[in-house]
Amino acid sequence: MAWRKQMRARVLEEAWQLASEAGWDRVRVADLAQRAEVSRPSIYAEFGDRAGIGTALVHRETERFLMGVADVLAGHRDDVAAALEAGVGHALGEAARNPFIRAVVTAARGGTDALLPFLTSRPEPVFSQAWRLVAAWLGEVVPGAPESRRNEAADIVVRLAVSHMLLPAPDPGETSTRVARAACAVLGTP
């Protein structure tokens, strides 16, 4: 069991490296096997196929990404607007800094990357997990706002953040402020 866990971690790390360097479209199971020093049959037994590796990688990176966003939101519990602005700013900054996310987003802009559906058309894991995180946080910090408004605000925050990752605004420095303002307007908070 420990070997399997270590093998899985090595394969995902090598997949992350390869996708970061050349994009997901160029990641091949044979290359992963060689770099992770495991057999291709072992990889197929663990992940099913190349798409299974991509799915596992997106889940891992989503978890890491959202942990960072959660930490930022937690640091601003007393000011909803500032928290949302900081959280969106962190998300956009991480999308620009993280080589894997940058590779997915850059390829998405060119319409070539097979991981793009995780950002745009499949709600799991990225959109739904991000939405749940923001909705739960809003439930804690603005419990007096109606749940429907909190859910709507969470939807706005996540959709706009993902949209700006894929197609940045001409003035990206204002994006976080505008997203926070829109969500606060829905919530009825300053």
Side-chain angles (χ1 to χ4, degrees):
M1 185 66 126
W3 177 86
R4 183 175 168 198
K5 195 173 192 176
Q6 289 173 347
M7 182 270 298
R8 182 179 181 84
R10 281 196 320 267
V11 169
L12 290 177
E13 189 56 33
E14 293 302 333
W16 186 92
Q17 288 291 336
L18 285 170
S20 297
E21 294 164 9
W24 180 253
D25 291 343
R26 295 220 168 95
V27 174
R28 303 286 174 250
V29 175
D31 297 334
L32 290 176
Q34 182 179 15
R35 288 176 64 144
E37 299 177 346
V38 297
S39 69
R40 285 180 12 187
S42 294
I43 292 174
Y44 285 119
E46 179 65 23
F47 296 99
D49 57 12
R50 185 173 167 277
I53 299 166
T55 299
L57 184 57
V58 168
H59 279 274
R60 184 188 85 166
E61 291 305 303
T62 298
E63 186 175 306
R64 289 178 176 179
F65 181 81
L66 291 178
M67 284 174 42
V69 172
D71 288 345
V72 170
L73 291 174
H76 297 84
R77 298 182 64 79
D78 57 333
D79 186 341
V80 175
L84 292 174
E85 188 173 336
V88 171
H90 173 80
L92 296 176
E94 191 62 19
R97 281 187 298 276
N98 182 305
F100 175 74
I101 298 170
R102 193 173 55 244
V104 171
V105 169
T106 301
R109 289 181 191 142
T112 63
D113 202 281
L115 295 178
L116 175 61
F118 287 105
L119 292 176
T120 58
S121 62
R122 295 180 196 155
E124 290 294 338
V126 179
F127 182 83
S128 296
Q129 287 182 20
W131 180 87
R132 281 192 294 273
L133 169 72
V134 176
W137 181 82
L138 288 171
E140 293 173 12
V141 298
V142 285
E147 182 179 6
S148 62
R149 292 297 184 132
R150 294 191 314 258
N151 291 343
E152 186 179 340
D155 186 74
I156 286 169
V157 168
V158 174
R159 285 184 193 277
L160 288 175
V162 170
S163 176
H164 281 279
M165 286 176 194
L166 294 172
L167 186 60
D171 58 343
E174 293 296 313
T175 299
S176 299
T177 302
R178 290 190 319 216
V179 172
R181 189 172 35 239
C184 287
V186 167
L187 290 167
T189 61

